[in-house]
Amino acid sequence: MRLEIANFNVEDITFGDETSYQDGTLIINKEEALKVVKEDEHITEADIKIARPGEDKRIVPVKEAIEPRCKADGGAVFPGVTDNVEAVGEGQTLALKGCSVLAVGKHWGSFGDGLIDMSGEGAKYTYFSQLNNICLVADTDEEFERHEQQKKNHALRWAGHRLAKYLATEALEDQEPAEDDIEEFDLEPITKRPAKVNDLPSVVYVMQAQSQMEEMGYNDLVYGWDMNHVVPTLMHPNEILDGAMISGSFMPCSSKWSTYDFQNCPTIKNLYQEHGETINFLGVIMSNLNVNLEEKERSALFVQQIAKSLGADAAILAEEGYGNPDADFIECFKALEEAGVKTVGMTNECTGRDGNSQPLVTLDEAADAIVSCGNVSALIELPPMETVIGELEALARDGLSGGWEDDDELGSSVKEDGSIIMENNSMFCGDQVLGWSPKTMKEF
């Protein structure tokens, strides 16, 4: 499978009469864009606001991030979500690079929502402060919210996906990418590789996507199908980079993988860079996360069997979330090591506000090589921002995973002057377990 991603760098975003891309500027016809958003009748209020790197802006509650993309041949962008179910991972995909569409709640938040600061101390904690963000600030009708809460969350996220596809399709029509702005991802079938590649250490990437909720609307999706109904399976890395995986995680926000993270997964890209040079990259085992022990053991056996059948010498194991999912992470770690597959794990920790608690719910001697991507419970204090996109009170009132309405010692997360104190939990996709976390080490 050969995939080309043609990148059109977005240096600024503005509103205008026609959605287009000109000399590094994305121009958005807001009226047309909001029509696309409101194709779902349950979305009653919507607006689009722009947040640029370095601006004195705070965005909360953020639910999802998506890179605007379209296929050069008009094919599926997010199969099973914005499009019919069809294979992705081949051909040419056009991407508006350096920007993202953020789905933001207008009047409410939820456990899995987060915060982004575009400047100051808070900007250090999330990759999305570095992007030009198209903030879709939207809400749904009251009855829909009361009876279909998970679908409401679903509705806002999928509106973001429709908007992302619309922007790329309209802006990049008839645009020709520069040759040096095209990324190529070409991985030969495993049994058809030359001897010099087969002789290198074989590495598989195991991704444990969030899938613990039985109700639709709270889990990640693969080709539009809820990961709760999927057993571990081998996927071509191009599928993940090209829209097959959609975020839907209910996990505390710093632990989440957004759709943008799947589309730009740094670990996959780094494995591609080393393929044929230092390693033989076998592909991705997309695993799930479960609730009870038997389910966890079963999934670990599936992962072990696939890795053994592929002849993997080594694995990188990445966990989305913490707490209960730690048991899946360690069970999978044990199964891979038992099969002789040398494994390195990537996860965040929950060591408490003082940093002294056990980092994972369960541990094992087999898990002797783990990259930590930060402590979800670490306290973060941030000054007020001139502009809030969304609603700041959601951080405390609606129970975002790292915020609170009242604490005996700390009071409310949101102070009268607009400053905040919160746990890292609330930082949108802040731990970046997929490979670009700023918390793994310091360079001197």
Short mmCIF file of all heavy atoms in Angstrom, two decimals, residues 63-66 128 161 220 245-249 255-264 320 428-429 432 434 436:
data_model
loop_
_atom_site.label_atom_id
_atom_site.label_comp_id
_atom_site.label_asym_id
_atom_site.label_seq_id
_atom_site.Cartn_x
_atom_site.Cartn_y
_atom_site.Cartn_z
N LYS A 63 -13.41 18.93 22.82
CA LYS A 63 -13.82 17.53 22.75
C LYS A 63 -13.03 16.71 21.74
O LYS A 63 -12.83 15.51 21.91
CB LYS A 63 -15.31 17.45 22.40
CG LYS A 63 -16.18 18.22 23.36
CD LYS A 63 -17.64 18.26 22.92
CE LYS A 63 -18.44 19.07 23.93
NZ LYS A 63 -18.37 18.51 25.30
N GLU A 64 -12.59 17.34 20.66
CA GLU A 64 -11.98 16.59 19.57
C GLU A 64 -11.14 17.53 18.71
O GLU A 64 -11.38 18.75 18.66
CB GLU A 64 -13.09 15.94 18.74
CG GLU A 64 -12.72 15.37 17.37
CD GLU A 64 -11.83 14.14 17.37
OE1 GLU A 64 -10.79 14.19 18.04
OE2 GLU A 64 -12.16 13.17 16.65
N ALA A 65 -10.13 16.98 18.06
CA ALA A 65 -9.28 17.72 17.12
C ALA A 65 -9.12 16.89 15.86
O ALA A 65 -8.89 15.67 15.94
CB ALA A 65 -7.92 18.02 17.73
N ILE A 66 -9.23 17.55 14.70
CA ILE A 66 -9.16 16.85 13.42
C ILE A 66 -8.33 17.68 12.45
O ILE A 66 -8.51 18.91 12.37
CB ILE A 66 -10.56 16.65 12.79
CG1 ILE A 66 -11.56 16.09 13.82
CG2 ILE A 66 -10.48 15.74 11.57
CD1 ILE A 66 -12.60 17.08 14.26
N PHE A 128 -1.45 21.27 20.66
CA PHE A 128 -2.40 22.05 19.86
C PHE A 128 -2.24 23.56 20.03
O PHE A 128 -2.81 24.34 19.25
CB PHE A 128 -3.83 21.59 20.16
CG PHE A 128 -4.06 20.17 19.71
CD1 PHE A 128 -3.84 19.12 20.57
CD2 PHE A 128 -4.40 19.89 18.40
CE1 PHE A 128 -4.00 17.81 20.16
CE2 PHE A 128 -4.54 18.59 17.97
CZ PHE A 128 -4.34 17.54 18.84
N HIS A 161 -15.80 16.62 12.10
CA HIS A 161 -15.25 15.85 10.98
C HIS A 161 -15.84 16.33 9.65
O HIS A 161 -15.12 16.42 8.65
CB HIS A 161 -15.53 14.36 11.18
CG HIS A 161 -14.71 13.74 12.27
ND1 HIS A 161 -15.09 13.76 13.59
CD2 HIS A 161 -13.50 13.13 12.24
CE1 HIS A 161 -14.17 13.16 14.32
NE2 HIS A 161 -13.19 12.79 13.54
N ASP A 220 -13.33 4.82 20.74
CA ASP A 220 -12.73 5.07 19.43
C ASP A 220 -13.41 4.20 18.39
O ASP A 220 -14.00 3.15 18.70
CB ASP A 220 -11.24 4.75 19.47
CG ASP A 220 -10.46 5.72 20.36
OD1 ASP A 220 -10.94 6.85 20.56
OD2 ASP A 220 -9.38 5.33 20.84
N MET A 245 -9.08 5.47 11.71
CA MET A 245 -9.30 5.54 13.16
C MET A 245 -9.84 6.92 13.54
O MET A 245 -9.26 7.95 13.18
CB MET A 245 -8.01 5.27 13.92
CG MET A 245 -7.48 3.85 13.79
SD MET A 245 -8.59 2.59 14.46
CE MET A 245 -8.77 3.10 16.17
N ILE A 246 -10.95 6.91 14.28
CA ILE A 246 -11.60 8.14 14.72
C ILE A 246 -11.67 8.15 16.24
O ILE A 246 -12.07 7.16 16.86
CB ILE A 246 -13.03 8.25 14.14
CG1 ILE A 246 -12.99 8.29 12.61
CG2 ILE A 246 -13.75 9.46 14.71
CD1 ILE A 246 -12.31 9.48 12.04
N SER A 247 -11.29 9.26 16.84
CA SER A 247 -11.34 9.37 18.30
C SER A 247 -12.77 9.44 18.80
O SER A 247 -13.63 10.07 18.19
CB SER A 247 -10.59 10.62 18.75
OG SER A 247 -10.77 10.84 20.14
N GLY A 248 -13.01 8.79 19.94
CA GLY A 248 -14.30 8.90 20.60
C GLY A 248 -14.15 8.66 22.08
O GLY A 248 -15.13 8.46 22.78
N SER A 249 -12.92 8.67 22.55
CA SER A 249 -12.61 8.25 23.92
C SER A 249 -13.28 9.13 24.97
O SER A 249 -13.34 10.34 24.84
CB SER A 249 -11.09 8.30 24.12
OG SER A 249 -10.77 8.10 25.48
N SER A 255 -5.09 12.02 28.60
CA SER A 255 -4.77 10.66 28.17
C SER A 255 -5.32 10.31 26.80
O SER A 255 -4.98 9.28 26.23
CB SER A 255 -5.33 9.65 29.18
OG SER A 255 -4.86 9.91 30.48
N LYS A 256 -6.22 11.14 26.27
CA LYS A 256 -6.92 10.80 25.03
C LYS A 256 -6.02 10.88 23.80
O LYS A 256 -5.05 11.62 23.77
CB LYS A 256 -8.11 11.76 24.83
CG LYS A 256 -9.28 11.50 25.74
CD LYS A 256 -10.33 12.59 25.63
CE LYS A 256 -10.90 12.72 24.23
NZ LYS A 256 -12.06 13.61 24.20
N TRP A 257 -6.42 10.15 22.78
CA TRP A 257 -5.85 10.28 21.44
C TRP A 257 -6.92 10.90 20.56
O TRP A 257 -7.97 10.31 20.32
CB TRP A 257 -5.45 8.92 20.88
CG TRP A 257 -4.45 8.17 21.71
CD1 TRP A 257 -3.68 8.66 22.72
CD2 TRP A 257 -4.12 6.77 21.60
NE1 TRP A 257 -2.89 7.68 23.25
CE2 TRP A 257 -3.13 6.51 22.58
CE3 TRP A 257 -4.55 5.74 20.78
CZ2 TRP A 257 -2.58 5.24 22.77
CZ3 TRP A 257 -4.00 4.47 20.96
CH2 TRP A 257 -3.02 4.23 21.93
N SER A 258 -6.70 12.10 20.08
CA SER A 258 -7.64 12.73 19.17
C SER A 258 -7.50 12.14 17.78
O SER A 258 -6.52 11.42 17.48
CB SER A 258 -7.40 14.24 19.11
OG SER A 258 -6.16 14.51 18.45
N THR A 259 -8.44 12.43 16.91
CA THR A 259 -8.32 11.99 15.52
C THR A 259 -7.07 12.59 14.89
O THR A 259 -6.37 11.93 14.09
CB THR A 259 -9.57 12.39 14.72
OG1 THR A 259 -10.70 11.71 15.28
CG2 THR A 259 -9.45 11.99 13.25
N TYR A 260 -6.74 13.83 15.24
CA TYR A 260 -5.51 14.46 14.75
C TYR A 260 -4.29 13.62 15.12
O TYR A 260 -3.37 13.46 14.32
CB TYR A 260 -5.38 15.87 15.33
CG TYR A 260 -4.23 16.68 14.76
CD1 TYR A 260 -4.44 17.62 13.77
CD2 TYR A 260 -2.93 16.48 15.22
CE1 TYR A 260 -3.39 18.36 13.25
CE2 TYR A 260 -1.87 17.21 14.71
CZ TYR A 260 -2.10 18.15 13.72
OH TYR A 260 -1.05 18.86 13.20
N ASP A 261 -4.28 13.06 16.33
CA ASP A 261 -3.16 12.23 16.77
C ASP A 261 -3.04 10.97 15.90
O ASP A 261 -1.94 10.57 15.54
CB ASP A 261 -3.33 11.82 18.24
CG ASP A 261 -3.21 12.99 19.19
OD1 ASP A 261 -2.28 13.78 19.02
OD2 ASP A 261 -4.05 13.11 20.10
N PHE A 262 -4.18 10.33 15.61
CA PHE A 262 -4.14 9.17 14.74
C PHE A 262 -3.62 9.56 13.34
O PHE A 262 -2.78 8.87 12.77
CB PHE A 262 -5.53 8.55 14.60
CG PHE A 262 -5.99 7.75 15.77
CD1 PHE A 262 -7.10 8.12 16.52
CD2 PHE A 262 -5.33 6.58 16.15
CE1 PHE A 262 -7.54 7.38 17.60
CE2 PHE A 262 -5.75 5.82 17.23
CZ PHE A 262 -6.87 6.22 17.96
N GLN A 263 -4.12 10.68 12.82
CA GLN A 263 -3.73 11.10 11.46
C GLN A 263 -2.25 11.42 11.35
O GLN A 263 -1.68 11.30 10.26
CB GLN A 263 -4.53 12.36 11.07
CG GLN A 263 -6.01 12.15 10.87
CD GLN A 263 -6.73 13.47 10.68
OE1 GLN A 263 -6.67 14.37 11.54
NE2 GLN A 263 -7.38 13.65 9.56
N ASN A 264 -1.65 11.85 12.44
CA ASN A 264 -0.25 12.31 12.40
C ASN A 264 0.64 11.52 13.34
O ASN A 264 1.70 12.02 13.74
CB ASN A 264 -0.20 13.80 12.77
CG ASN A 264 -0.86 14.68 11.73
OD1 ASN A 264 -0.26 15.00 10.71
ND2 ASN A 264 -2.10 15.07 11.98
N GLU A 320 -3.93 3.98 25.64
CA GLU A 320 -4.75 5.19 25.72
C GLU A 320 -5.54 5.17 27.03
O GLU A 320 -6.45 4.36 27.19
CB GLU A 320 -5.71 5.30 24.53
CG GLU A 320 -6.55 6.57 24.58
CD GLU A 320 -7.53 6.70 23.43
OE1 GLU A 320 -7.73 5.73 22.68
OE2 GLU A 320 -8.11 7.80 23.27
N PHE A 428 -5.88 19.24 27.15
CA PHE A 428 -6.37 18.51 25.99
C PHE A 428 -5.25 17.69 25.33
O PHE A 428 -4.28 18.25 24.83
CB PHE A 428 -7.00 19.45 24.96
CG PHE A 428 -7.58 18.73 23.77
CD1 PHE A 428 -8.76 18.02 23.88
CD2 PHE A 428 -6.92 18.74 22.55
CE1 PHE A 428 -9.27 17.33 22.80
CE2 PHE A 428 -7.43 18.06 21.46
CZ PHE A 428 -8.61 17.36 21.59
N CYS A 429 -5.40 16.37 25.37
CA CYS A 429 -4.44 15.43 24.76
C CYS A 429 -3.01 15.77 25.17
O CYS A 429 -2.07 15.63 24.38
CB CYS A 429 -4.59 15.41 23.26
SG CYS A 429 -6.19 14.79 22.69
N GLN A 432 0.19 13.04 25.12
CA GLN A 432 0.71 12.71 23.79
C GLN A 432 1.49 11.40 23.78
O GLN A 432 2.64 11.33 23.36
CB GLN A 432 1.60 13.87 23.29
CG GLN A 432 0.92 15.22 23.25
CD GLN A 432 -0.09 15.36 22.12
OE1 GLN A 432 -0.37 14.41 21.40
NE2 GLN A 432 -0.64 16.55 21.96
N LEU A 434 1.30 9.00 21.89
CA LEU A 434 1.61 8.48 20.55
C LEU A 434 2.94 8.97 20.00
O LEU A 434 3.28 8.63 18.87
CB LEU A 434 0.48 8.81 19.57
CG LEU A 434 -0.83 8.08 19.86
CD1 LEU A 434 -1.85 8.32 18.75
CD2 LEU A 434 -0.62 6.58 20.03
N TRP A 436 4.79 12.39 20.73
CA TRP A 436 5.40 13.73 20.76
C TRP A 436 5.21 14.41 22.12
O TRP A 436 5.13 15.62 22.22
CB TRP A 436 4.88 14.62 19.64
CG TRP A 436 3.40 14.63 19.41
CD1 TRP A 436 2.41 14.41 20.31
CD2 TRP A 436 2.75 14.86 18.15
NE1 TRP A 436 1.18 14.51 19.70
CE2 TRP A 436 1.36 14.77 18.37
CE3 TRP A 436 3.21 15.14 16.87
CZ2 TRP A 436 0.43 14.95 17.36
CZ3 TRP A 436 2.28 15.31 15.86
CH2 TRP A 436 0.92 15.22 16.10
#
